[in-house]
Amino acid sequence: MLNIIRGKTVAPRRIMLYGVQGIGKSTWASCAPSPIFIQTEDGAGGIDCDKFPVATCYADVMKNLATLYTEQNTYQTLVLDSLDWMERIIWSEVCKKKAVESIEDIGYAKSYTFALTQWRELLEALTALRNDKAITTILIAHSKIERFENPETESYDRFAPRLHKLAAAVMQEWCDEVLFANYKVYTKQSGEGIRKRNQGVGGDERVIHTQERPAYAAKNRLGLPEEIPLIWSEYAKYLSTQGGK
């Protein structure tokens, strides 16, 4: 009974932000408190922030994580940019271990399952930084349109992180927030009669979708509104009400 914890626990956030290309995901993450970027692509090249050199192999990424854990620093946020390029690095690591040229050479039933070993090793390192060093994690990913098999309805297309489905499931489960960034889109009708059709209309307004919908995968544990502007301060103001970092 002495080990029972009462009330809310305070812990740094585990965030995945995915979205369409060029919308400003890396810029959003760079506005988090004291960030350091682990780059698997050059998405943060034009951003004035602290960053490791672009990683070219799995060992580079793990070395960067070990450096943050073992060496004294004042970073409060780790940004991994991006997850889909991290997946390519993981696939290369699997190929090296299995002595094959392509991950497809292993066999579809086994290849992506083998990759989960590296994904879980990555999550163990990120969890150690969170638990022992109080570092928030932001995982950046691009989006794709995938066919979603809903057992309650007919199948339909929706936005999802650009990852293999096994990796996507593991990473989304680990995260506290899975946020989808997109441009605000409206529809209007044009034409008459059989020529009537819907047109997508949008501008430069960028938003984050925070709750699961048929059109996209999302979740949050902060009680966020369904939609917020793609501005770090708009997200961060909900952290203060939770006691989060």
Side-chain angles (χ1 to χ4, degrees):
M1 297 294 288
L2 295 177
N3 294 326
I4 293 175
I5 299 173
R6 176 174 295 179
K8 297 180 179 180
T9 56
V10 177
R13 309 309 295 170
R14 300 169 294 187
I15 307 161
M16 180 191 297
L17 177 70
Y18 76 101
V20 299
Q21 187 171 353
I23 197 170
K25 301 180 292 295
S26 300
T27 300
W28 183 86
S30 71
C31 296
S34 303
I36 175 73
F37 277 66
I38 292 181
Q39 303 180 95
T40 56
E41 60 167 305
D42 194 18
I47 299 174
D48 184 13
C49 62
D50 290 357
K51 65 199 79 161
F52 290 101
V54 176
T56 59
C57 64
Y58 184 72
D60 287 345
V61 176
M62 299 310 293
K63 181 180 179 180
N64 293 340
L65 292 170
T67 297
L68 288 174
Y69 189 87
T70 58
E71 296 186 11
Q72 186 174 358
N73 63 79
T74 59
Y75 295 115
Q76 299 179 52
T77 306
L78 167 64
V79 183
L80 179 57
D81 190 2
S82 66
L83 274 184
D84 27 320
W85 282 82
M86 182 71 214
E87 183 165 62
R88 300 183 189 192
I89 287 175
I90 284 177
W91 288 352
S92 294
E93 179 71 9
V94 172
C95 289
K96 184 173 69 174
K97 288 186 175 182
K98 300 299 180 182
V100 296
E101 292 187 6
S102 169
I103 194 166
E104 299 291 349
D105 295 336
I106 301 173
Y108 184 80
K110 296 180 179 179
S111 56
Y112 300 107
T113 301
F114 288 148
L116 291 181
T117 299
Q118 270 62 53
W119 281 116
R120 292 188 175 112
E121 186 174 71
L122 173 68
L123 289 183
E124 287 176 3
L126 294 175
T127 298
L129 287 171
R130 176 179 184 257
N131 293 345
D132 299 340
K133 305 297 181 179
I135 291 180
T136 287
T137 300
I138 301 177
L139 307 173
I140 301 296
H142 298 91
S143 62
K144 66 177 180 179
I145 298 176
E146 68 175 13
R147 197 68 175 167
F148 183 64
E149 304 291 338
N150 191 329
E152 297 181 332
T153 67
E154 294 182 1
S155 300
Y156 51 84
D157 292 339
R158 73 170 185 170
F159 288 102
R162 192 189 297 170
L163 297 169
H164 186 272
K165 62 181 181 180
L166 293 179
V170 169
M171 301 306 289
Q172 289 181 81
E173 182 181 6
W174 182 78
C175 290
D176 299 305
E177 278 80 57
V178 176
L179 309 174
F180 173 55
N182 201 0
Y183 293 99
K184 189 87 169 181
V185 177
Y186 308 90
T187 58
K188 71 174 184 178
Q189 286 190 337
S190 63
E192 297 180 357
I194 61 173
R195 292 178 173 270
K196 185 179 294 185
R197 62 191 180 96
N198 291 325
Q199 288 181 306
V201 180
D204 296 330
E205 186 179 358
R206 300 170 300 161
V207 297
I208 293 175
H209 301 283
T210 70
Q211 300 173 20
E212 184 84 3
R213 292 294 181 267
Y216 45 79
K219 72 173 186 178
N220 79 88
R221 296 171 179 166
L222 290 173
L224 297 173
E226 180 180 342
E227 184 181 287
I228 60 175
L230 183 60
I231 302 170
W232 172 263
S233 59
E234 290 294 321
Y235 168 79
K237 66 185 182 183
Y238 294 94
L239 299 180
S240 61
T241 63
Q242 301 291 322
K245 181 176 178 178

